[in-house]
């Protein structure tokens, strides 16, 4: 039963989740939680319940043969504990990265079905029936139920054609090709950027660097496509930048950026030499932990646009994290925390802003775009209360646009004050 439940898990999961589509949030929080647990239960209960019964059934069955109950229970418990430890390590560090999610489930299902076939038991008709059923399911597992027959997750397929996938213990990274280029998505739904959003990603580096033109070193907490970090290597606009460090949590994201964003169809490197420029280095690590362990100081620390609903994001808005960041800034350095205003309430924005104010002697606000409904902004923590550098002199260019949703104000040393929010 456990092996059969495992074999069907991937097909049941795809069915109840609408092809791994993001769970709808058109309800109250309590309703969302109920929907989440109901979906997960239907997806994994057919496998988890019978497999969870194996250990207690073994302990019960041992009663008929045991002359030393303590030794029997201790042996079974020890084997079960060792198996749980080795299984979790193998799944997280070997199987998910080496085989992928669905082939790993296929492998585990086949092991349980093989055990059902070879485990000694009485020669009753029921035993024979179980073994015949296990053989039949094992055959189906590598034919009709083969995971290669699964369609691409709907969450990615609806955005374009999936061209490559990287699976690991942290997440599943896919590159999706659209009419306008490539996009990186995590777990089929969460977007990390695209060639289509090149300008907005580039602005997340240009705005703070133009506001603080003396910056000579930048640490990027989060890399994504690499477009933002790569813009800091622009020698024409930012000649003083001599060091760029981009920290990315997922190795799949780094591989996707290196393969699909360093050379477009026109031969253009969207990352501006992030993987080849001697001034730059890309590290696969948790940026928050790296800043805690690393004693190097930077003139600017630029934190990516984290969506608050993602697991673990709260740590990146904590007072302790902000204190670590301030300790890694050079005198006169700044910390840039980008925020998706369309993803936070007024109260949540106030909590984040107030937390920064308790750590930094001065915090300034900067807008990242002019698009209503898709606003992003940066809270900039100053390591000391120094005045903001003056803008360059000259005539302010105008950028008229009848469509405010597509309005993109040019960013240069003269227009940078227009992004200042106070």
């Amino acid at each position: 039963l456990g092996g059969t439940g495992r074999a069907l898990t991937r097909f049941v999961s795809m069915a109840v989740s609408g092809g791994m589509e993001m769970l709808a949030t058109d309800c109250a929080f309590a309703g969302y939680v109920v929907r989440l647990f109901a979906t997960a239960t239907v997806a994994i209960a057919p496998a988890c319940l019978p497999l969870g019964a194996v250990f207690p059934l073994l302990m019960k069955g041992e009663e008929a043969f045991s002359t030393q109950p303590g030794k029997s229970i201790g042996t079974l418990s020890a084997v079960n504990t060792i198996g749980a430890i080795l299984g979790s390590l193998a799944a997280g560090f070997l199987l998910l990265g080496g085989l992928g999610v669905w082939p790993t489930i296929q492998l585990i299902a086949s092991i349980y079905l093989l055990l059902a076939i070879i485990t000694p038991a009485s020669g009753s008709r029921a035993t024979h029936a179980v073994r015949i059923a296990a053989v039949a399911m094992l055959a189906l597992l590598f034919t009709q139920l083969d995971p290669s027959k699964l369609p691409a997750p709907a969450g990615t397929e609806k955005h374009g054609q999936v061209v490559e996938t990287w699976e690991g213990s942290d997440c599943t990274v896919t590159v999706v090709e659209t009419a306008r280029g490539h996009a990186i998505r995590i777990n089929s739904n969460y977007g990390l950027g695209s060639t289509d959003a090149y300008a907005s990603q580039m602005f997340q580096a240009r705005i703070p660097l133009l506001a603080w033109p003396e910056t000579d070193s930048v640490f990027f907490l989060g890399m994504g496509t690499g477009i933002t970090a790569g813009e800091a290597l622009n020698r024409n606009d930012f000649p003083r930048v001599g060091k760029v460090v981009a920290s990315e949590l997922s190795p799949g994201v780094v591989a996707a950026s290196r393969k699909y964003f360093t050379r477009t169809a026109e031969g253009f490197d969207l990352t501006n030499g992030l993987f080849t420029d001697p001034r730059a280095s890309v590290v696969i690590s948790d940026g928050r932990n790296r800043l805690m362990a690393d004693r190097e100081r930077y003139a600017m620390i630029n934190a990516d646009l984290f969506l608050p609903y993602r697991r673990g994001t709260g740590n990146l808005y904590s007072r302790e994290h902000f204190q670590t960041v301030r300790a890694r800034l050079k005198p006169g350095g700044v910390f840039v925390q980008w925020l998706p205003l369309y993803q936070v309430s007024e109260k949540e924005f106030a909590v984040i802003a107030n937390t920064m104010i308790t750590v930094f002697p001065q915090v300034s606000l900067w807008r990242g775009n002019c698009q209503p409904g898709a606003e992003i902004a940066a809270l900039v923590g100053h390591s000391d209360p120094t005045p903001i550098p003056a803008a360059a002199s000259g005539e302010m260019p105008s950028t008229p646009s009848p469509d405010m949703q597509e309005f993109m104000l040019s960013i240069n040393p003269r227009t940078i004050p227009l992004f200042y929010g106070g």
Side-chain angles (χ1 to χ4, degrees), residues 294-372:
D294 190 2
R295 297 302 173 188
E296 186 169 357
R297 291 191 170 196
Y298 302 89
M300 180 182 292
I301 296 176
N302 194 323
D304 201 1
L305 191 72
F306 310 116
L307 297 191
Y309 66 78
R310 290 204 72 202
R311 179 190 63 190
T313 302
N315 291 329
L316 299 171
Y317 300 138
S318 67
R319 189 167 188 263
E320 292 79 7
H321 172 59
F322 292 156
Q323 288 172 332
T324 299
V325 168
R326 185 182 176 186
R328 298 296 171 266
L329 289 175
K330 295 179 179 180
V334 293
F335 166 56
V336 184
Q337 176 63 70
W338 289 99
L339 294 173
L341 298 187
Y342 52 89
Q343 286 282 349
V344 295
S345 66
E346 183 179 351
K347 179 180 179 181
E348 291 162 340
F349 176 82
V351 168
I352 297 170
N354 184 67
T355 306
M356 284 191 68
I357 291 171
T358 63
V359 175
F360 294 93
Q362 179 174 292
V363 176
S364 57
L365 175 67
W366 299 76
R367 72 162 64 239
N369 59 26
C370 301
Q371 282 89 356

Side-chain angles (χ1 to χ4, degrees), residues 103-138:
T104 294
I105 291 180
Q106 181 186 39
L107 172 64
I108 296 173
S110 65
I111 291 174
Y112 277 107
L113 292 171
L114 284 171
L115 288 173
I117 296 171
I118 66 175
T119 298
S122 62
S124 64
R125 291 183 177 180
T127 300
H128 291 310
V130 167
R131 286 177 171 166
I132 292 172
V135 170
M137 181 55 64
L138 191 60

Side-chain angles (χ1 to χ4, degrees), residues 135-410:
V135 170
M137 181 55 64
L138 191 60
L140 287 173
L141 186 58
F142 290 91
T143 53
Q144 296 302 312
L145 298 181
D146 190 278
S148 62
K149 299 181 181 298
L150 281 172
T156 48
E157 196 173 44
K158 72 177 183 180
H159 297 286
Q161 181 181 359
V162 177
V163 293
E164 192 162 355
T165 300
W166 292 264
E167 292 185 323
S169 59
D170 53 340
C171 62
T172 297
V173 178
T174 53
V175 170
V176 179
E177 186 175 13
T178 66
R180 297 186 177 184
H182 293 97
I184 299 178
R185 308 192 75 82
I186 285 182
N187 296 339
S188 80
N189 287 288
Y190 179 55
L192 284 188
S194 64
T195 53
D196 189 31
Y198 173 76
S200 60
Q201 295 169 79
M202 182 177 62
F203 286 178
Q204 288 179 230
R206 289 189 64 81
I207 291 173
L209 286 172
L210 286 170
W212 283 271
E214 300 300 315
T215 299
D216 60 2
S217 57
V218 190
F219 180 92
F220 286 91
L221 205 165
M223 188 193 79
T225 60
I227 293 173
T228 302
E231 180 59 22
L233 298 169
N234 187 326
R235 293 182 182 273
N236 294 328
D237 293 341
F238 314 117
R240 293 182 179 273
V241 174
K243 181 171 186 175
V244 170
V245 178
S247 178
E248 173 55 48
L249 184 62
S250 171
V253 172
V254 174
S257 173
R258 186 191 300 269
K259 185 170 183 178
Y260 290 96
F261 287 82
T262 56
R263 184 174 293 278
T264 63
E266 297 78 19
F268 182 63
D269 183 359
L270 296 175
T271 70
N272 204 26
L274 182 62
F275 295 96
T276 57
D277 195 306
R279 297 173 296 163
S281 60
V282 176
V283 293
I284 301 174
S285 66
D286 184 314
R288 183 176 68 95
N289 289 335
R290 185 175 182 85
L291 286 173
M292 292 173 65
D294 190 2
R295 297 302 173 188
E296 186 169 357
R297 291 191 170 196
Y298 302 89
M300 180 182 292
I301 296 176
N302 194 323
D304 201 1
L305 191 72
F306 310 116
L307 297 191
Y309 66 78
R310 290 204 72 202
R311 179 190 63 190
T313 302
N315 291 329
L316 299 171
Y317 300 138
S318 67
R319 189 167 188 263
E320 292 79 7
H321 172 59
F322 292 156
Q323 288 172 332
T324 299
V325 168
R326 185 182 176 186
R328 298 296 171 266
L329 289 175
K330 295 179 179 180
V334 293
F335 166 56
V336 184
Q337 176 63 70
W338 289 99
L339 294 173
L341 298 187
Y342 52 89
Q343 286 282 349
V344 295
S345 66
E346 183 179 351
K347 179 180 179 181
E348 291 162 340
F349 176 82
V351 168
I352 297 170
N354 184 67
T355 306
M356 284 191 68
I357 291 171
T358 63
V359 175
F360 294 93
Q362 179 174 292
V363 176
S364 57
L365 175 67
W366 299 76
R367 72 162 64 239
N369 59 26
C370 301
Q371 282 89 356
E375 302 91 339
I376 66 172
L379 287 171
V380 178
H382 304 236
S383 58
D384 46 55
T386 54
I388 294 174
S393 60
E395 183 180 353
M396 192 80 71
S398 60
T399 310
S401 173
D403 185 359
M404 282 300 296
Q405 193 61 41
E406 298 296 328
F407 180 74
M408 296 295 289
L409 183 67
S410 59

